[in-house]
Amino acid sequence: MTGPGDARDGRDQTLRDPADAARRIDSLIASGDLRTASDMVEEMPPWLIVDVLERSGAKDRAVLFRLLSKGTALVVFEALDPPLQSELIRALHTDRVNQIFTDLDPDDRAGLIDELPARVATRLMRELDHDEQALTAAVLDYPVGSVGRRMSPEFISTHPDVTAGETLDRVRQRIDEAETIYGIPVTDDQRRLVGIVGLRAIMRAEPGTPVRDLMNDAITARARESAETAARRSAEERLIVMPVVDDEGRLVGILTFDDALRVLEDAETEDTARAGGAEPLRAPYLATPVRSLVRSRVVWLLVLALGAALTVQVLEVFEGTIEQVVALSLFVPLIIGTGGNTGNQAATTVTRALALGDVRPRDGLRVLAQEVRTGFTLGLVLGGVGALAAGLIYGTDLGLVIGLTLLILCTVAATVGGLMPLLAQAVRADPAVFSNPFITTFVDATGLIVYFLIARAVLGL
């Protein structure tokens, strides 16, 4: 028998599992039972509602969002990716859209505006009051991809000559307007940043203590510098708040730790996609239409197909060599796979080091030396194993060919793989693009040329 407790446990389990919750809500919406769907949604935490929305179809997503209470709707909307926000904006009733858009922070509005049709964005901006328009416009003035586009212009600042007590009063008065209060920038009379003070220090100090006695030097970001660079610096320094200044050193905004984490997450997603030979998805996977998935992959597949054609040409050039020693063809996959994997390992390692600031393009000679030695050592190990295995089965000569090929190929592949990301960054390209697609294509062709040249020399073909 199943008692009430068992039914409740089953319902609680559903409310913890995004996939089950999405299926159940979609079923309720399809059957027109919106009341039950609404009751179910009311019991769900916001993070689970976000997961359910990302798993639902576009039509069900709009219906489900309409069932949310006003407060929950705003929390959930802010957690969605901008493409899904844009989709909901176009599907919802105008009055509710205006309210949600008004309640967003200026930096979140800027990200959403980038996704909206110009006509819709203009209408929504027109509905804002003058102050909110000005704050949003200030963020939109900076280039896409800059930290100025991701900063919050809503902050509380103080002055070096102001006391701790006066600063605390200012925090209390403006606490609802600010993005965060845990780090308070300190500016002079010309709004130039001179330091930063933590809320803890303000609260522990005697009320009459001047802020200049409490503040510390601030680690800052320039508004027009890369958002990823600024976010990574913020993460490395473990900052709750990073002040953002203009070219004259005037305070224009702050980058909070949660916004910095989101920037780094976006950058990691982009690098991972491009390293795998695809463009990054702009929405969660299950919410991405098939046509968008195809678009994100087809261009790179065409590029790689053209690269593979080069490998075919190499095989055609050495067709006579293969006909004389058919066993050579058996090792082609081994040569191609080992070279590509070695190059990609090196490229991935150096790309990550670039992202973390461990190396710079000017470190090219040191990276070259490092990867030559690493590749040579790997080649000795893999070549020795390959030579022994091939020699036992196909003879000493063929074993020697395999061993020498792997030794040279690993050295070349590791060297090229390590240098390509540095070259990419030097010419202002994305290093992740070179981590997989181009290196694989280059090493495939190079490896086969080395392989067949060594075979001709050793086997006397």
Side-chain angles (χ1 to χ4, degrees), residues 342 369-385 406-408 410-412 414:
T342 304
Q370 188 96 325
E371 290 301 332
V372 166
R373 288 180 292 172
T374 302
F376 184 80
T377 305
L378 289 171
L380 282 177
V381 174
L382 297 176
V385 173
L406 290 177
L407 174 63
I408 295 174
C410 286
T411 305
V412 172

Side-chain angles (χ1 to χ4, degrees), residues 26-281:
D26 287 348
S27 176
L28 291 171
I29 292 175
S31 64
D33 191 356
L34 298 184
R35 180 179 295 277
T36 303
S38 179
D39 292 341
M40 184 176 176
V41 170
E42 285 181 3
E43 300 179 29
M44 296 165 59
W47 66 265
L48 183 55
I49 298 174
V50 171
D51 278 349
V52 170
L53 286 171
E54 291 177 349
R55 290 171 175 272
S56 300
K59 183 178 179 181
D60 288 348
R61 190 179 298 126
V63 173
L64 175 58
F65 193 83
R66 288 190 178 95
L67 300 178
L68 302 178
S69 63
K70 178 181 176 182
T72 303
L74 178 60
V75 173
V76 168
F77 189 86
E78 289 179 328
L80 293 173
D81 291 327
L84 291 188
Q85 291 179 337
S86 173
E87 176 190 288
L88 286 173
I89 284 287
R90 286 176 283 183
L92 297 175
H93 189 270
T94 301
D95 292 340
R96 192 165 194 188
V97 166
N98 292 343
Q99 186 61 54
I100 290 173
F101 190 75
T102 299
D103 290 340
L104 289 176
D105 293 328
D107 53 324
D108 292 330
R109 280 196 214 110
L112 175 56
I113 285 173
D114 288 337
E115 300 291 335
L116 291 171
R119 175 180 53 82
V120 178
T122 301
R123 176 179 61 77
L124 291 173
M125 284 289 289
R126 196 181 298 123
E127 297 294 330
L128 298 174
D129 62 39
H130 181 269
D131 290 341
E132 291 296 330
Q133 282 186 12
L135 289 172
T136 306
V139 176
L140 290 170
D141 279 344
Y142 294 102
V144 175
S146 69
V147 68
R149 199 61 171 256
R150 306 298 288 266
M151 71 180 184
S152 172
E154 296 179 309
F155 54 85
I156 299 172
S157 62
T158 188
H159 190 277
D161 297 331
V162 171
T163 65
E166 292 169 332
T167 300
L168 197 55
D169 288 340
R170 182 180 298 182
V171 170
R172 291 194 184 100
Q173 293 168 6
R174 298 186 55 195
I175 191 170
D176 292 331
E177 303 172 15
E179 179 82 6
T180 183
I181 60 172
Y182 299 110
I184 304 171
V186 184
T187 60
D188 62 14
D189 295 332
Q190 283 74 45
R191 283 197 306 117
R192 287 192 295 265
L193 184 74
V194 295
I196 190 168
V197 61
L199 182 63
R200 183 191 296 269
I202 292 291
M203 296 182 70
R204 291 179 61 180
E206 292 295 327
T209 305
V211 167
R212 69 170 63 254
D213 295 341
L214 304 172
M215 69 183 190
N216 298 307
D217 292 337
I219 299 173
T220 65
R222 293 282 179 178
R224 294 186 179 276
E225 77 172 290
S226 163
E228 182 181 353
T229 301
R232 203 165 294 284
R233 187 161 65 251
S234 174
E236 289 171 354
E237 299 293 340
R238 305 294 193 269
L239 301 180
I240 295 178
V241 174
M242 174 183 276
V244 181
V245 298
D246 62 15
D247 293 337
E248 285 73 41
R250 292 190 296 265
L251 182 67
V252 293
I254 57 173
L255 181 69
T256 58
F257 76 95
D258 55 328
D259 286 334
L261 289 177
R262 181 173 289 188
V263 170
L264 293 178
E265 181 184 355
D266 293 344
E268 188 72 20
T269 299
E270 180 178 287
D271 289 348
T272 301
R274 288 180 173 166
E279 284 300 302
L281 300 179

Side-chain angles (χ1 to χ4, degrees), residues 209-379:
T209 305
V211 167
R212 69 170 63 254
D213 295 341
L214 304 172
M215 69 183 190
N216 298 307
D217 292 337
I219 299 173
T220 65
R222 293 282 179 178
R224 294 186 179 276
E225 77 172 290
S226 163
E228 182 181 353
T229 301
R232 203 165 294 284
R233 187 161 65 251
S234 174
E236 289 171 354
E237 299 293 340
R238 305 294 193 269
L239 301 180
I240 295 178
V241 174
M242 174 183 276
V244 181
V245 298
D246 62 15
D247 293 337
E248 285 73 41
R250 292 190 296 265
L251 182 67
V252 293
I254 57 173
L255 181 69
T256 58
F257 76 95
D258 55 328
D259 286 334
L261 289 177
R262 181 173 289 188
V263 170
L264 293 178
E265 181 184 355
D266 293 344
E268 188 72 20
T269 299
E270 180 178 287
D271 289 348
T272 301
R274 288 180 173 166
E279 284 300 302
L281 300 179
R282 297 169 63 248
Y285 175 78
L286 292 177
T288 303
V290 171
R291 64 180 181 278
S292 297
L293 290 173
V294 172
R295 270 202 309 269
S296 72
R297 302 176 188 179
V298 67
V299 173
W300 285 107
L301 287 176
L302 290 173
V303 171
L304 291 172
L306 291 174
L310 176 61
T311 304
V312 173
Q313 292 298 314
V314 173
L315 288 172
E316 186 177 348
V317 169
F318 291 98
E319 184 179 1
T321 303
I322 296 174
E323 289 176 351
Q324 292 181 60
V325 182
V326 178
L328 289 173
S329 63
L330 301 177
F331 292 92
V332 168
L334 170 68
I335 300 301
I336 290 177
T338 302
N341 291 336
T342 304
N344 287 329
Q345 285 180 337
T348 301
T349 302
V350 175
T351 298
R352 185 62 179 166
L354 279 170
L356 295 176
D358 293 341
V359 298
R360 298 284 188 272
R362 63 176 176 268
D363 297 317
L365 289 178
R366 296 182 62 184
V367 173
L368 172 65
Q370 188 96 325
E371 290 301 332
V372 166
R373 288 180 292 172
T374 302
F376 184 80
T377 305
L378 289 171

Side-chain angles (χ1 to χ4, degrees), residues 398-412:
L398 190 55
L400 181 60
V401 171
I402 299 301
L404 288 175
T405 299
L406 290 177
L407 174 63
I408 295 174
L409 182 57
C410 286
T411 305
V412 172

